[in-house]
Amino acid sequence: MQTKETTNQGLKRAYAITIPAKEIEAKVDAEVKKIAPQVRMPGFRPGKVPANLVRKMHGEQMHAQVVNDAIRESVDSLMKEKELRPAMQPKVEMAEGYEQGKDAELTVELEVLPQIEVPSTDGIKLERLTVPVSDEQVDEALERIAGQNKSYKDAAKTKKAAEGDQLIIDFVGKLDGEEFEGGKAEGAALVLGSGTFIPGFEDQLIGVKAGDEKTITVNFPEDYQADHLAGKEATFDVKVEAVKTETETKLDEDFAKNLGFEDLDKLRALVRGQLEQETAGLTRTQMKRSLLDHLAAGHDFDVPEQMVEAEFEQIWAQLEQEVAQSDDPEESRKEIEAEKDDYRRIAVRRVRLGLLLSEIGQANKVQVTGQEMNMLIQQAAQQYRQEDRERFMQFIQQEPMAAAQLRAPLYEDKVVDFLFDKAEITDREVTREELEASIEAEEGESAPANKPAAKKPAAKKAPAKKAAAKDAAQDEGEPAKKPAAKKAPAKKAAAKKTDDAEAKPAPNKAPAKKEAAKKEPAKKPAAKKAATEKK
């Protein structure tokens, strides 16, 4: 193999590699000898097929495999010989016109990681803003849980169903007079006015009484999930088994037991713990931002353009999604286009911080254990169908780049924790509002001015305080791999990008497991879901 460097500019490198034809032919001959004893051919005893016939039968396939192996080995050898650290997968191309008997000429283009002086971990000073959880906050959270776990009691037989009442119904859906799959259910619970079922279904049941039977006609939405039902007119034969009215939900021992807790104190303790976990997430976000700003302020070096472009594409893809969901997509698109350069600068900062954290981790022997990696793979596999999970796990094990991408968020979290341990930290107790204001103030200082973000439809917005808290809690993670999940208010969304953080789910504000068990029964049976729920 002959190697010649053709480009060495900044972080860009390019090489010309020549693999002599003699080397390739020698490897093909070796392959022929290797498989010849296994080849079977009429007229020859096992293992006695002449090499020239084996080559005639399998030579083209073996030659292609040998060339591919030689290319991979040559690139690997180049990386080791030149001590190159590729930022991304190198681009490898074979010269046109190659054929058997000729030298294989390759071009290899890549960007290398910059040489970074390992940042000192000494002298880092951080302030940790902590928020105590008050009894009033626990009470408010319990009230929210109660509101999400309504109970109903049977109404008088003569009671006419009104909005807010719960119906227990049997129904059979039909298209052109014929029942369709997933359109039948018995004992389905439906709260009128909840919007659980397709448009028009609930409205036509206002005024029914227990024992009533009614046929209603509805049109499935054009964008309905089931293609065979989308846009179709259907009828539903409905029998009302019972009409129920909402009862007052009392926060007492019985309420706690209905949610699966031993008593109300145990429920309160769990809620308090979740609120403390949530505020701890906000505190971590505030500390991490301070840490990243400290690192960014002290380091300025070139970063690989390919990594920046990949990061920018992820940021832009998320912006595009938000534009599509905004109230005014055309105006939102104009806004993000006007700030495109700012988002690219954000991508540069994210990549630079990711490289810094990686260098710190390697220098200080921060590691992700095999057990932790296996847990990551198993968690990621849960996103796939059962039959695809094994293939996904094999893919991660066989592709180092994919495994590295999966490992990166946890690795960088561990590096951040390492730096927290090294830092001089002072604690200051504040209110939740003060902590959120501090986070937003840091956003404003580090973000490009007036950064736009697509505005969500009003119906999707969360209450201001809760939304802000959730967004802030989500603002942790991996600096140079994935953009933070933005959640609307224009300036906030952009600021999150500058924090170089991958979004994480905010801690639950209520015992989710218990809560789910008490949600509307109408959503449980698969048949009801397929036939009547909105998609």
Side-chain angles (χ1 to χ4, degrees), residues 21 112 126 152 196 272 301-302 322 346 355 409 411 416 443:
V112 296
L126 300 173
Y152 297 86
T196 304
R272 180 180 293 277
F301 51 84
D302 290 339
E322 294 188 0
I346 290 166
L355 294 175
Y411 181 76
V416 167
E443 288 174 347

Side-chain angles (χ1 to χ4, degrees), residues 171-173 179-186 236 527-528 531:
F171 60 80
V172 177
E179 292 186 26
F180 58 86
E181 184 180 357
K184 182 178 181 180
E186 295 180 355
F236 284 87
K528 288 175 275 183

Side-chain angles (χ1 to χ4, degrees), residues 141-171:
L142 287 171
E143 290 292 345
R144 287 196 296 270
I145 298 171
Q148 295 164 356
N149 290 273
K150 296 177 181 178
S151 57
Y152 297 86
K153 65 178 181 180
D154 288 332
K157 297 292 185 182
T158 56
K159 157 74 173 170
K160 292 184 178 181
E163 188 167 314
D165 290 341
Q166 184 187 68
L167 301 182
I168 306 300
I169 58 176
D170 303 333
F171 60 80

Side-chain angles (χ1 to χ4, degrees), residues 5-80:
E5 185 177 71
T6 58
T7 299
N8 188 334
Q9 297 178 348
L11 300 177
K12 294 183 178 180
R13 303 286 187 274
Y15 299 88
I17 297 177
T18 301
I19 307 174
K22 288 183 179 180
E23 288 186 18
I24 296 173
E25 286 304 310
K27 291 182 178 181
V28 172
D29 288 340
E31 280 298 308
V32 169
K33 291 179 181 179
K34 181 179 177 180
I35 71 166
Q38 306 166 29
V39 175
R40 300 289 183 269
M41 184 180 292
F44 295 93
R45 286 179 296 165
K48 298 299 182 179
V49 180
N52 63 325
L53 290 180
V54 174
R55 181 183 280 271
K56 185 176 181 180
M57 292 172 59
H58 303 287
E60 187 174 339
Q61 179 182 352
M62 286 191 294
H63 183 272
Q65 184 61 49
V66 164
V67 170
N68 284 336
D69 290 345
I71 291 173
R72 186 182 65 254
E73 291 168 3
S74 298
V75 174
D76 289 345
S77 177
L78 172 68
M79 299 301 144
K80 291 179 182 178

Side-chain angles (χ1 to χ4, degrees), residues 319-331:
L319 286 168
E320 293 277 11
Q321 290 179 1
E322 294 188 0
V323 164
Q325 299 173 21
S326 66
D327 296 328
D328 188 348
E330 185 176 349
E331 183 61 28

Side-chain angles (χ1 to χ4, degrees), residues 79 85-91 109-113 304-311 401 481:
M79 299 301 144
R85 298 193 304 161
M88 303 281 282
Q89 193 73 26
K91 179 182 178 182
E109 298 177 0
L110 69 154
E111 283 187 292
V112 296
L113 294 174
E305 293 179 8
Q306 287 179 311
M307 290 184 72
V308 172
E309 189 60 30
E311 181 64 26
M401 296 284 284
K481 294 292 180 184

